[in-house]
Amino acid sequence: GAGVSQTPSNKVTEKGKYVELRCDPISGHTALYWYRQSLGQGPEFLIYFQGTGAADDSGLPNDRFFAVRPEGSVSTLKIQRTERGDSAVYLCASSLADRDHPWYFGPGTRLTVT
Amino acid sequence: GQQVMQIPQYQHVQEGEDFTTYCNSSTTLSNIQWYKQRPGGHPVFLIQLVKSGEVKKQKRLTFQFGEAKKNSSLHITATQTTDVGTYFCAVNSGGSNYKLTFGKGTLLTVNP
């Protein structure tokens, strides 16, 4: 079946603009994760959803970052007043549950803030 | 928070040579996952280890979890050019499997 999809694949925006990044998890996966990966680094945790609720958003860098998952499926990561330091690949992953199940990552959205 | 050290950072081998990457933690882990990320790609789940001393094999890949559950290794026998990529370990020491902390990865390049 289809894997995790993310749109857009690439996003170039100007400093100060607002962006939305979308994640479509694998159907039936209740757990959804957002990670951010900078060049040469491992993915860093941002937020975790179990169903519709954000079970843990402690990885969000500041209040410019916000994520939603209103119907327990698609999730949107929203970044306000973007800064050049926000440039990275934003990865979404999903799994059947939060234990003992493999995670499936999407292809990521490469965000570049100029 | 949970930290994990992964070594080496880079490894270049001739095709056919073996390769090993190590992941070390200062605290006891509940489980460890390994991922492979091809250049320009996204992390792909390889395996999860849960039990102390566990050894799992996937064709030419051998994964081990230390007896004290503080370290793990991934060994590739007779590397091929298709093995090129960055190998990450990811750990969680708590009761839930979310909020994995990834190592910085080991970039493997293979000379044909």
Side-chain angles (χ1 to χ4, degrees), chain A residues 33 35 37 40-45 48 55-56 58 91 98-108, chain B residues 9 30-31 33 35 37 41-45 48 50 88 94-104:
Chain A
Y33 318 84
Y35 276 71
Q37 187 174 27
Q41 301 294 317
E44 294 178 325
F45 172 80
Y48 156 66
D56 186 336
S58 63
L91 295 164
D98 67 351
R99 273 192 77 82
D100 300 330
H101 290 91
W103 290 25
Y104 297 89
F105 279 85
Chain B
Q9 191 174 358
S30 58
N31 60 65
Q33 298 183 13
Y35 290 79
Q37 185 172 23
H42 58 276
V44 174
F45 177 86
Q48 175 171 274
V50 179
F88 292 99
S96 176
N97 216 26
Y98 73 93
K99 202 175 180 177
L100 291 180
T101 299
F102 283 76
K104 291 193 173 183

mmCIF file of all heavy atoms in Angstrom, chain A residues 33 35 37 40-45 48 55-56 58 91 98-108, chain B residues 9 30-31 33 35 37 41-45 48 50 88 94-104:
data_model
loop_
_atom_site.group_PDB
_atom_site.id
_atom_site.type_symbol
_atom_site.label_atom_id
_atom_site.label_comp_id
_atom_site.label_asym_id
_atom_site.label_seq_id
_atom_site.Cartn_x
_atom_site.Cartn_y
_atom_site.Cartn_z
ATOM 1 N N TYR A 33 4.476 11.241 14.005
ATOM 2 C CA TYR A 33 5.598 11.960 14.573
ATOM 3 C C TYR A 33 6.123 12.972 13.558
ATOM 4 O O TYR A 33 6.188 12.687 12.366
ATOM 5 C CB TYR A 33 6.747 10.995 14.908
ATOM 6 C CG TYR A 33 6.325 9.689 15.542
ATOM 7 C CD1 TYR A 33 5.911 8.623 14.759
ATOM 8 C CD2 TYR A 33 6.359 9.512 16.918
ATOM 9 C CE1 TYR A 33 5.528 7.414 15.323
ATOM 10 C CE2 TYR A 33 5.984 8.309 17.494
ATOM 11 C CZ TYR A 33 5.565 7.267 16.688
ATOM 12 O OH TYR A 33 5.183 6.072 17.259
ATOM 13 N N TYR A 35 9.632 15.131 12.882
ATOM 14 C CA TYR A 35 11.037 15.289 13.197
ATOM 15 C C TYR A 35 11.627 16.327 12.244
ATOM 16 O O TYR A 35 11.077 16.593 11.179
ATOM 17 C CB TYR A 35 11.808 13.958 13.048
ATOM 18 C CG TYR A 35 11.739 13.065 14.266
ATOM 19 C CD1 TYR A 35 10.556 12.413 14.598
ATOM 20 C CD2 TYR A 35 12.842 12.885 15.081
ATOM 21 C CE1 TYR A 35 10.500 11.600 15.723
ATOM 22 C CE2 TYR A 35 12.795 12.068 16.208
ATOM 23 C CZ TYR A 35 11.611 11.435 16.525
ATOM 24 O OH TYR A 35 11.551 10.634 17.634
ATOM 25 N N GLN A 37 15.429 17.401 10.446
ATOM 26 C CA GLN A 37 16.790 16.932 10.214
ATOM 27 C C GLN A 37 17.602 17.995 9.493
ATOM 28 O O GLN A 37 17.255 18.424 8.397
ATOM 29 C CB GLN A 37 16.788 15.635 9.395
ATOM 30 C CG GLN A 37 18.163 15.003 9.256
ATOM 31 C CD GLN A 37 18.106 13.645 8.565
ATOM 32 O OE1 GLN A 37 17.208 13.360 7.775
ATOM 33 N NE2 GLN A 37 19.069 12.781 8.875
ATOM 34 N N GLY A 40 23.760 16.550 7.873
ATOM 35 C CA GLY A 40 24.790 15.856 8.638
ATOM 36 C C GLY A 40 24.389 15.469 10.046
ATOM 37 O O GLY A 40 25.226 15.005 10.819
ATOM 38 N N GLN A 41 23.129 15.653 10.379
ATOM 39 C CA GLN A 41 22.651 15.324 11.725
ATOM 40 C C GLN A 41 21.579 14.264 11.666
ATOM 41 O O GLN A 41 20.973 14.020 10.620
ATOM 42 C CB GLN A 41 22.078 16.582 12.393
ATOM 43 C CG GLN A 41 23.054 17.730 12.518
ATOM 44 C CD GLN A 41 24.201 17.411 13.447
ATOM 45 O OE1 GLN A 41 24.010 16.843 14.517
ATOM 46 N NE2 GLN A 41 25.417 17.756 13.038
ATOM 47 N N GLY A 42 21.324 13.645 12.803
ATOM 48 C CA GLY A 42 20.204 12.729 12.884
ATOM 49 C C GLY A 42 18.911 13.501 13.076
ATOM 50 O O GLY A 42 18.915 14.672 13.446
ATOM 51 N N PRO A 43 17.781 12.874 12.801
ATOM 52 C CA PRO A 43 16.493 13.541 12.998
ATOM 53 C C PRO A 43 16.290 13.943 14.456
ATOM 54 O O PRO A 43 16.662 13.203 15.362
ATOM 55 C CB PRO A 43 15.481 12.478 12.577
ATOM 56 C CG PRO A 43 16.235 11.543 11.684
ATOM 57 C CD PRO A 43 17.613 11.518 12.229
ATOM 58 N N GLU A 44 15.690 15.111 14.663
ATOM 59 C CA GLU A 44 15.404 15.603 16.011
ATOM 60 C C GLU A 44 13.900 15.680 16.216
ATOM 61 O O GLU A 44 13.177 16.204 15.372
ATOM 62 C CB GLU A 44 16.025 16.985 16.214
ATOM 63 C CG GLU A 44 17.540 16.973 16.187
ATOM 64 C CD GLU A 44 18.123 18.357 16.352
ATOM 65 O OE1 GLU A 44 17.526 19.323 15.846
ATOM 66 O OE2 GLU A 44 19.181 18.477 16.988
ATOM 67 N N PHE A 45 13.453 15.185 17.345
ATOM 68 C CA PHE A 45 12.030 15.124 17.670
ATOM 69 C C PHE A 45 11.400 16.501 17.778
ATOM 70 O O PHE A 45 11.968 17.414 18.375
ATOM 71 C CB PHE A 45 11.859 14.375 18.989
ATOM 72 C CG PHE A 45 10.468 14.401 19.546
ATOM 73 C CD1 PHE A 45 9.496 13.544 19.047
ATOM 74 C CD2 PHE A 45 10.128 15.272 20.567
ATOM 75 C CE1 PHE A 45 8.215 13.562 19.564
ATOM 76 C CE2 PHE A 45 8.847 15.289 21.090
ATOM 77 C CZ PHE A 45 7.893 14.434 20.583
ATOM 78 N N TYR A 48 4.664 14.593 18.793
ATOM 79 C CA TYR A 48 4.089 13.261 18.620
ATOM 80 C C TYR A 48 2.580 13.336 18.836
ATOM 81 O O TYR A 48 2.110 13.941 19.800
ATOM 82 C CB TYR A 48 4.744 12.320 19.632
ATOM 83 C CG TYR A 48 3.954 11.094 20.023
ATOM 84 C CD1 TYR A 48 3.671 10.095 19.093
ATOM 85 C CD2 TYR A 48 3.517 10.905 21.335
ATOM 86 C CE1 TYR A 48 2.966 8.961 19.468
ATOM 87 C CE2 TYR A 48 2.824 9.765 21.705
ATOM 88 C CZ TYR A 48 2.551 8.801 20.768
ATOM 89 O OH TYR A 48 1.862 7.660 21.130
ATOM 90 N N ALA A 55 0.336 14.246 22.003
ATOM 91 C CA ALA A 55 0.716 13.605 23.257
ATOM 92 C C ALA A 55 1.975 14.219 23.842
ATOM 93 O O ALA A 55 2.181 14.180 25.059
ATOM 94 C CB ALA A 55 0.906 12.106 23.032
ATOM 95 N N ASP A 56 2.813 14.769 22.977
ATOM 96 C CA ASP A 56 4.058 15.369 23.450
ATOM 97 C C ASP A 56 4.532 16.367 22.412
ATOM 98 O O ASP A 56 4.835 15.975 21.284
ATOM 99 C CB ASP A 56 5.115 14.288 23.672
ATOM 100 C CG ASP A 56 6.391 14.827 24.311
ATOM 101 O OD1 ASP A 56 6.686 16.043 24.184
ATOM 102 O OD2 ASP A 56 7.105 14.029 24.939
ATOM 103 N N SER A 58 6.997 18.642 23.254
ATOM 104 C CA SER A 58 8.145 19.247 23.929
ATOM 105 C C SER A 58 9.319 19.531 23.004
ATOM 106 O O SER A 58 10.224 20.279 23.362
ATOM 107 C CB SER A 58 8.611 18.345 25.075
ATOM 108 O OG SER A 58 9.047 17.097 24.576
ATOM 109 N N LEU A 91 10.640 15.866 8.579
ATOM 110 C CA LEU A 91 10.241 14.482 8.352
ATOM 111 C C LEU A 91 9.014 14.133 9.173
ATOM 112 O O LEU A 91 8.904 14.524 10.335
ATOM 113 C CB LEU A 91 11.375 13.533 8.747
ATOM 114 C CG LEU A 91 12.659 13.615 7.923
ATOM 115 C CD1 LEU A 91 13.792 12.914 8.657
ATOM 116 C CD2 LEU A 91 12.454 12.974 6.560
ATOM 117 N N ASP A 98 2.383 3.050 19.563
ATOM 118 C CA ASP A 98 3.608 3.680 20.023
ATOM 119 C C ASP A 98 4.614 2.701 20.607
ATOM 120 O O ASP A 98 5.637 3.102 21.104
ATOM 121 C CB ASP A 98 3.316 4.781 21.054
ATOM 122 C CG ASP A 98 2.766 4.233 22.362
ATOM 123 O OD1 ASP A 98 2.446 3.036 22.424
ATOM 124 O OD2 ASP A 98 2.644 5.012 23.320
ATOM 125 N N ARG A 99 4.378 1.412 20.532
ATOM 126 C CA ARG A 99 5.357 0.455 21.016
ATOM 127 C C ARG A 99 5.469 -0.736 20.076
ATOM 128 O O ARG A 99 4.489 -1.204 19.543
ATOM 129 C CB ARG A 99 4.966 -0.083 22.398
ATOM 130 C CG ARG A 99 5.447 0.748 23.543
ATOM 131 C CD ARG A 99 5.278 -0.008 24.851
ATOM 132 N NE ARG A 99 6.294 -1.006 25.043
ATOM 133 C CZ ARG A 99 7.513 -0.740 25.517
ATOM 134 N NH1 ARG A 99 7.859 0.479 25.816
ATOM 135 N NH2 ARG A 99 8.390 -1.709 25.681
ATOM 136 N N ASP A 100 6.686 -1.167 19.904
ATOM 137 C CA ASP A 100 6.934 -2.445 19.242
ATOM 138 C C ASP A 100 6.414 -2.525 17.813
ATOM 139 O O ASP A 100 6.125 -3.605 17.326
ATOM 140 C CB ASP A 100 6.337 -3.609 20.053
ATOM 141 C CG ASP A 100 6.941 -3.681 21.447
ATOM 142 O OD1 ASP A 100 8.106 -3.285 21.597
ATOM 143 O OD2 ASP A 100 6.248 -4.128 22.375
ATOM 144 N N HIS A 101 6.266 -1.397 17.181
ATOM 145 C CA HIS A 101 5.891 -1.400 15.773
ATOM 146 C C HIS A 101 6.875 -0.531 15.013
ATOM 147 O O HIS A 101 7.317 0.500 15.508
ATOM 148 C CB HIS A 101 4.471 -0.862 15.570
ATOM 149 C CG HIS A 101 3.411 -1.772 16.070
ATOM 150 N ND1 HIS A 101 2.909 -1.715 17.350
ATOM 151 C CD2 HIS A 101 2.741 -2.777 15.462
ATOM 152 C CE1 HIS A 101 1.988 -2.647 17.506
ATOM 153 N NE2 HIS A 101 1.868 -3.302 16.378
ATOM 154 N N PRO A 102 7.232 -0.942 13.815
ATOM 155 C CA PRO A 102 8.187 -0.129 13.052
ATOM 156 C C PRO A 102 7.594 1.215 12.686
ATOM 157 O O PRO A 102 6.387 1.368 12.547
ATOM 158 C CB PRO A 102 8.455 -0.988 11.806
ATOM 159 C CG PRO A 102 7.284 -1.896 11.702
ATOM 160 C CD PRO A 102 6.819 -2.148 13.096
ATOM 161 N N TRP A 103 8.466 2.178 12.565
ATOM 162 C CA TRP A 103 8.083 3.500 12.109
ATOM 163 C C TRP A 103 8.332 3.581 10.605
ATOM 164 O O TRP A 103 9.294 3.016 10.091
ATOM 165 C CB TRP A 103 8.945 4.561 12.787
ATOM 166 C CG TRP A 103 8.693 4.758 14.240
ATOM 167 C CD1 TRP A 103 8.179 3.882 15.135
ATOM 168 C CD2 TRP A 103 8.989 5.939 14.970
ATOM 169 N NE1 TRP A 103 8.143 4.438 16.379
ATOM 170 C CE2 TRP A 103 8.627 5.700 16.314
ATOM 171 C CE3 TRP A 103 9.542 7.179 14.617
ATOM 172 C CZ2 TRP A 103 8.783 6.667 17.301
ATOM 173 C CZ3 TRP A 103 9.704 8.137 15.606
ATOM 174 C CH2 TRP A 103 9.319 7.874 16.928
ATOM 175 N N TYR A 104 7.476 4.327 9.935
ATOM 176 C CA TYR A 104 7.643 4.549 8.505
ATOM 177 C C TYR A 104 7.753 6.053 8.274
ATOM 178 O O TYR A 104 6.818 6.789 8.594
ATOM 179 C CB TYR A 104 6.468 3.962 7.728
ATOM 180 C CG TYR A 104 6.351 2.464 7.881
ATOM 181 C CD1 TYR A 104 5.605 1.906 8.914
ATOM 182 C CD2 TYR A 104 7.008 1.613 7.008
ATOM 183 C CE1 TYR A 104 5.515 0.531 9.078
ATOM 184 C CE2 TYR A 104 6.916 0.236 7.158
ATOM 185 C CZ TYR A 104 6.174 -0.293 8.193
ATOM 186 O OH TYR A 104 6.090 -1.652 8.351
ATOM 187 N N PHE A 105 8.889 6.455 7.733
ATOM 188 C CA PHE A 105 9.112 7.866 7.467
ATOM 189 C C PHE A 105 8.635 8.234 6.065
ATOM 190 O O PHE A 105 8.721 7.434 5.124
ATOM 191 C CB PHE A 105 10.599 8.214 7.579
ATOM 192 C CG PHE A 105 11.069 8.425 8.983
ATOM 193 C CD1 PHE A 105 11.471 7.354 9.769
ATOM 194 C CD2 PHE A 105 11.109 9.701 9.531
ATOM 195 C CE1 PHE A 105 11.911 7.548 11.073
ATOM 196 C CE2 PHE A 105 11.550 9.908 10.835
ATOM 197 C CZ PHE A 105 11.947 8.833 11.612
ATOM 198 N N GLY A 106 8.157 9.469 5.948
ATOM 199 C CA GLY A 106 7.860 10.022 4.647
ATOM 200 C C GLY A 106 9.125 10.566 4.002
ATOM 201 O O GLY A 106 10.183 10.585 4.640
ATOM 202 N N PRO A 107 9.034 11.029 2.769
ATOM 203 C CA PRO A 107 10.209 11.523 2.052
ATOM 204 C C PRO A 107 10.710 12.864 2.555
ATOM 205 O O PRO A 107 11.811 13.276 2.209
ATOM 206 C CB PRO A 107 9.711 11.638 0.609
ATOM 207 C CG PRO A 107 8.244 11.840 0.740
ATOM 208 C CD PRO A 107 7.817 11.047 1.940
ATOM 209 N N GLY A 108 9.912 13.540 3.384
ATOM 210 C CA GLY A 108 10.343 14.810 3.944
ATOM 211 C C GLY A 108 9.980 16.008 3.085
ATOM 212 O O GLY A 108 9.719 15.891 1.882
ATOM 213 N N GLN B 9 31.848 8.249 12.754
ATOM 214 C CA GLN B 9 30.995 9.203 12.054
ATOM 215 C C GLN B 9 30.999 8.919 10.556
ATOM 216 O O GLN B 9 29.981 9.083 9.880
ATOM 217 C CB GLN B 9 31.496 10.624 12.315
ATOM 218 C CG GLN B 9 30.539 11.705 11.859
ATOM 219 C CD GLN B 9 31.001 13.083 12.272
ATOM 220 O OE1 GLN B 9 32.033 13.239 12.938
ATOM 221 N NE2 GLN B 9 30.256 14.099 11.875
ATOM 222 N N SER B 30 15.412 0.753 26.836
ATOM 223 C CA SER B 30 14.304 -0.201 26.761
ATOM 224 C C SER B 30 14.331 -0.931 25.415
ATOM 225 O O SER B 30 13.956 -2.100 25.335
ATOM 226 C CB SER B 30 12.964 0.507 26.946
ATOM 227 O OG SER B 30 12.809 1.520 25.964
ATOM 228 N N ASN B 31 14.748 -0.232 24.393
ATOM 229 C CA ASN B 31 14.885 -0.862 23.095
ATOM 230 C C ASN B 31 15.762 0.015 22.214
ATOM 231 O O ASN B 31 16.111 1.137 22.606
ATOM 232 C CB ASN B 31 13.519 -1.083 22.425
ATOM 233 C CG ASN B 31 12.761 0.210 22.213
ATOM 234 O OD1 ASN B 31 13.179 1.061 21.451
ATOM 235 N ND2 ASN B 31 11.640 0.356 22.885
ATOM 236 N N GLN B 33 16.372 0.981 17.900
ATOM 237 C CA GLN B 33 16.004 0.783 16.505
ATOM 238 C C GLN B 33 17.168 1.219 15.625
ATOM 239 O O GLN B 33 17.940 2.095 15.992
ATOM 240 C CB GLN B 33 14.758 1.606 16.148
ATOM 241 C CG GLN B 33 13.519 1.224 16.940
ATOM 242 C CD GLN B 33 12.284 2.005 16.512
ATOM 243 O OE1 GLN B 33 12.266 2.667 15.482
ATOM 244 N NE2 GLN B 33 11.221 1.900 17.305
ATOM 245 N N TYR B 35 18.092 2.435 11.576
ATOM 246 C CA TYR B 35 17.542 2.959 10.334
ATOM 247 C C TYR B 35 18.667 3.155 9.325
ATOM 248 O O TYR B 35 19.819 3.403 9.688
ATOM 249 C CB TYR B 35 16.859 4.313 10.560
ATOM 250 C CG TYR B 35 15.591 4.246 11.347
ATOM 251 C CD1 TYR B 35 15.605 4.137 12.733
ATOM 252 C CD2 TYR B 35 14.350 4.273 10.703
ATOM 253 C CE1 TYR B 35 14.426 4.063 13.454
ATOM 254 C CE2 TYR B 35 13.172 4.212 11.427
ATOM 255 C CZ TYR B 35 13.220 4.114 12.798
ATOM 256 O OH TYR B 35 12.052 4.033 13.505
ATOM 257 N N GLN B 37 19.518 5.507 5.853
ATOM 258 C CA GLN B 37 19.084 6.642 5.032
ATOM 259 C C GLN B 37 20.032 6.759 3.845
ATOM 260 O O GLN B 37 21.222 7.043 4.014
ATOM 261 C CB GLN B 37 19.082 7.936 5.860
ATOM 262 C CG GLN B 37 18.529 9.142 5.120
ATOM 263 C CD GLN B 37 18.365 10.352 6.049
ATOM 264 O OE1 GLN B 37 19.021 10.453 7.087
ATOM 265 N NE2 GLN B 37 17.486 11.276 5.678
ATOM 266 N N GLY B 41 17.650 10.605 0.624
ATOM 267 C CA GLY B 41 16.426 9.881 0.973
ATOM 268 C C GLY B 41 15.998 10.120 2.399
ATOM 269 O O GLY B 41 16.488 11.017 3.078
ATOM 270 N N HIS B 42 15.079 9.297 2.863
ATOM 271 C CA HIS B 42 14.574 9.413 4.217
ATOM 272 C C HIS B 42 14.929 8.156 5.003
ATOM 273 O O HIS B 42 15.242 7.120 4.406
ATOM 274 C CB HIS B 42 13.054 9.623 4.196
ATOM 275 C CG HIS B 42 12.312 8.519 3.493
ATOM 276 N ND1 HIS B 42 12.143 8.479 2.132
ATOM 277 C CD2 HIS B 42 11.696 7.407 3.991
ATOM 278 C CE1 HIS B 42 11.457 7.408 1.805
ATOM 279 N NE2 HIS B 42 11.177 6.730 2.908
ATOM 280 N N PRO B 43 14.909 8.236 6.321
ATOM 281 C CA PRO B 43 15.252 7.046 7.120
ATOM 282 C C PRO B 43 14.294 5.898 6.858
ATOM 283 O O PRO B 43 13.070 6.095 6.815
ATOM 284 C CB PRO B 43 15.138 7.547 8.561
ATOM 285 C CG PRO B 43 15.281 9.030 8.475
ATOM 286 C CD PRO B 43 14.649 9.409 7.168
ATOM 287 N N VAL B 44 14.845 4.717 6.700
ATOM 288 C CA VAL B 44 14.055 3.511 6.491
ATOM 289 C C VAL B 44 14.332 2.552 7.643
ATOM 290 O O VAL B 44 15.490 2.242 7.928
ATOM 291 C CB VAL B 44 14.392 2.842 5.144
ATOM 292 C CG1 VAL B 44 13.653 1.502 5.008
ATOM 293 C CG2 VAL B 44 14.039 3.763 3.987
ATOM 294 N N PHE B 45 13.281 2.116 8.284
ATOM 295 C CA PHE B 45 13.397 1.225 9.437
ATOM 296 C C PHE B 45 14.046 -0.091 9.024
ATOM 297 O O PHE B 45 13.668 -0.707 8.033
ATOM 298 C CB PHE B 45 12.004 0.965 10.015
ATOM 299 C CG PHE B 45 11.957 -0.002 11.158
ATOM 300 C CD1 PHE B 45 12.163 0.427 12.449
ATOM 301 C CD2 PHE B 45 11.679 -1.340 10.934
ATOM 302 C CE1 PHE B 45 12.099 -0.464 13.516
ATOM 303 C CE2 PHE B 45 11.609 -2.243 11.986
ATOM 304 C CZ PHE B 45 11.820 -1.800 13.282
ATOM 305 N N GLN B 48 14.276 -3.536 15.160
ATOM 306 C CA GLN B 48 14.206 -3.117 16.552
ATOM 307 C C GLN B 48 14.711 -4.251 17.425
ATOM 308 O O GLN B 48 14.351 -5.405 17.217
ATOM 309 C CB GLN B 48 12.761 -2.762 16.940
ATOM 310 C CG GLN B 48 12.612 -2.422 18.427
ATOM 311 C CD GLN B 48 11.260 -1.867 18.791
ATOM 312 O OE1 GLN B 48 11.026 -0.680 18.685
ATOM 313 N NE2 GLN B 48 10.371 -2.738 19.230
ATOM 314 N N VAL B 50 15.061 -5.534 21.445
ATOM 315 C CA VAL B 50 14.394 -5.303 22.726
ATOM 316 C C VAL B 50 15.069 -6.058 23.879
ATOM 317 O O VAL B 50 15.177 -5.546 24.988
ATOM 318 C CB VAL B 50 12.906 -5.713 22.635
ATOM 319 C CG1 VAL B 50 12.209 -5.514 23.962
ATOM 320 C CG2 VAL B 50 12.207 -4.926 21.542
ATOM 321 N N PHE B 88 21.632 5.011 11.189
ATOM 322 C CA PHE B 88 21.308 5.649 12.454
ATOM 323 C C PHE B 88 20.806 4.614 13.450
ATOM 324 O O PHE B 88 20.015 3.738 13.095
ATOM 325 C CB PHE B 88 20.178 6.676 12.282
ATOM 326 C CG PHE B 88 20.533 7.891 11.492
ATOM 327 C CD1 PHE B 88 20.181 7.985 10.152
ATOM 328 C CD2 PHE B 88 21.190 8.962 12.082
ATOM 329 C CE1 PHE B 88 20.484 9.118 9.413
ATOM 330 C CE2 PHE B 88 21.498 10.095 11.346
ATOM 331 C CZ PHE B 88 21.144 10.173 10.014
ATOM 332 N N GLY B 94 12.571 5.259 27.942
ATOM 333 C CA GLY B 94 11.390 5.341 28.779
ATOM 334 C C GLY B 94 10.397 4.237 28.485
ATOM 335 O O GLY B 94 10.676 3.304 27.760
ATOM 336 N N GLY B 95 9.213 4.367 28.998
ATOM 337 C CA GLY B 95 8.195 3.336 28.854
ATOM 338 C C GLY B 95 7.479 3.382 27.525
ATOM 339 O O GLY B 95 6.863 2.419 27.116
ATOM 340 N N SER B 96 7.546 4.507 26.845
ATOM 341 C CA SER B 96 6.860 4.610 25.567
ATOM 342 C C SER B 96 7.869 4.582 24.439
ATOM 343 O O SER B 96 9.024 4.872 24.608
ATOM 344 C CB SER B 96 6.062 5.904 25.500
ATOM 345 O OG SER B 96 5.477 6.048 24.224
ATOM 346 N N ASN B 97 7.379 4.223 23.276
ATOM 347 C CA ASN B 97 8.292 4.097 22.153
ATOM 348 C C ASN B 97 8.391 5.358 21.323
ATOM 349 O O ASN B 97 9.064 5.392 20.317
ATOM 350 C CB ASN B 97 7.839 2.955 21.245
ATOM 351 C CG ASN B 97 9.019 2.217 20.668
ATOM 352 O OD1 ASN B 97 10.078 2.197 21.255
ATOM 353 N ND2 ASN B 97 8.842 1.616 19.509
ATOM 354 N N TYR B 98 7.701 6.432 21.745
ATOM 355 C CA TYR B 98 7.781 7.638 20.949
ATOM 356 C C TYR B 98 8.984 8.442 21.389
ATOM 357 O O TYR B 98 9.705 8.091 22.297
ATOM 358 C CB TYR B 98 6.492 8.445 21.093
ATOM 359 C CG TYR B 98 6.351 9.138 22.431
ATOM 360 C CD1 TYR B 98 6.787 10.444 22.603
ATOM 361 C CD2 TYR B 98 5.765 8.489 23.504
ATOM 362 C CE1 TYR B 98 6.657 11.090 23.825
ATOM 363 C CE2 TYR B 98 5.628 9.136 24.721
ATOM 364 C CZ TYR B 98 6.068 10.438 24.873
ATOM 365 O OH TYR B 98 5.927 11.062 26.074
ATOM 366 N N LYS B 99 9.158 9.572 20.734
ATOM 367 C CA LYS B 99 10.243 10.476 21.083
ATOM 368 C C LYS B 99 11.581 9.754 21.042
ATOM 369 O O LYS B 99 12.355 9.792 21.982
ATOM 370 C CB LYS B 99 10.028 11.100 22.457
ATOM 371 C CG LYS B 99 10.789 12.399 22.666
ATOM 372 C CD LYS B 99 10.395 12.999 24.029
ATOM 373 C CE LYS B 99 11.123 14.275 24.294
ATOM 374 N NZ LYS B 99 10.677 14.895 25.577
ATOM 375 N N LEU B 100 11.813 9.052 19.970
ATOM 376 C CA LEU B 100 13.108 8.431 19.780
ATOM 377 C C LEU B 100 14.179 9.492 19.646
ATOM 378 O O LEU B 100 13.972 10.528 19.013
ATOM 379 C CB LEU B 100 13.109 7.572 18.518
ATOM 380 C CG LEU B 100 12.282 6.295 18.521
ATOM 381 C CD1 LEU B 100 12.431 5.595 17.187
ATOM 382 C CD2 LEU B 100 12.740 5.381 19.641
ATOM 383 N N THR B 101 15.329 9.215 20.244
ATOM 384 C CA THR B 101 16.495 10.064 20.086
ATOM 385 C C THR B 101 17.436 9.370 19.124
ATOM 386 O O THR B 101 17.842 8.230 19.366
ATOM 387 C CB THR B 101 17.187 10.296 21.434
ATOM 388 O OG1 THR B 101 16.283 10.940 22.322
ATOM 389 C CG2 THR B 101 18.421 11.162 21.247
ATOM 390 N N PHE B 102 17.763 10.050 18.045
ATOM 391 C CA PHE B 102 18.626 9.480 17.026
ATOM 392 C C PHE B 102 20.079 9.836 17.291
ATOM 393 O O PHE B 102 20.395 10.942 17.745
ATOM 394 C CB PHE B 102 18.241 10.012 15.639
ATOM 395 C CG PHE B 102 17.017 9.373 15.063
ATOM 396 C CD1 PHE B 102 15.752 9.705 15.514
ATOM 397 C CD2 PHE B 102 17.120 8.423 14.059
ATOM 398 C CE1 PHE B 102 14.618 9.115 14.982
ATOM 399 C CE2 PHE B 102 15.998 7.820 13.508
ATOM 400 C CZ PHE B 102 14.735 8.174 13.976
ATOM 401 N N GLY B 103 20.958 8.887 16.985
ATOM 402 C CA GLY B 103 22.362 9.192 16.953
ATOM 403 C C GLY B 103 22.667 10.068 15.743
ATOM 404 O O GLY B 103 21.797 10.317 14.913
ATOM 405 N N LYS B 104 23.920 10.516 15.638
ATOM 406 C CA LYS B 104 24.285 11.366 14.510
ATOM 407 C C LYS B 104 24.515 10.560 13.239
ATOM 408 O O LYS B 104 24.633 11.130 12.157
ATOM 409 C CB LYS B 104 25.521 12.195 14.840
ATOM 410 C CG LYS B 104 25.256 13.262 15.893
ATOM 411 C CD LYS B 104 26.398 14.260 15.981
ATOM 412 C CE LYS B 104 26.009 15.407 16.911
ATOM 413 N NZ LYS B 104 27.068 16.446 16.980
#
